[in-house]
Amino acid sequence: MESEKQPEKKLAGAGGTPGGIGIFLLGFAMACAGGWLLTNQVVVTSGFFASGFMVPVINYHMNSFGLSLVPFIIGIAFLFFNGKSVTGWLLTIAGLVIIMAGILFSLHIYFQPTTLFNTLLMLVLLFGGLGLVFRSLRYPIVSKPGFWSSLQSQSRGCPQSTSPLC
């Protein structure tokens, strides 16, 4: 009986690439810390559908949220009549998009005052961490011997005809 050799499983890095799991975990931790610190400085308030208009004579603020429900309600009516109605689906989806846009546009987003050092720390952690994550996920670029490798080999005292790793 011949013993069958099982192929050795090579341990791959992050994402199946040879990039390195340590760099990935460090970058992920840095990006999470930077993202948390950055979002911790953001305050979100609402004007409760502040996208409206003021009636000048009676000094009354009217909001336009009710008008954004009209295409949604008509679309739902079309869909109850015929579930395969393209017009019904288009009106329903358009109504939902208008409602979501109205909600998002009524939000007021502020960045709390902080020191320049804290802001730079947050941004360096976030984008430095993302850079390390992306670095660990890419395949290594095998460079051909060129100008820089010839300079490195000359600084080591190697002849140019030999490998740059001599």
Side-chain angles (χ1 to χ4, degrees), residues 27 29 43 50 52 59 61 68-69 79 94 98 102 104 112-114 123 137 145 151 165-166:
V43 176
N59 200 17
H61 187 275
S68 66
L69 291 175
L79 289 178
I98 291 170
L104 287 177
Q112 288 182 348
T114 185
L123 294 175
L137 292 177
L151 282 180
L165 300 175
C166 84

Side-chain angles (χ1 to χ4, degrees), residues 143-156 163-165:
S143 62
K144 297 177 183 175
F147 177 73
W148 294 110
S149 60
S150 66
L151 282 180
Q152 289 174 347
S153 63
Q154 286 176 0
S155 67
R156 293 186 195 136
S163 166
L165 300 175

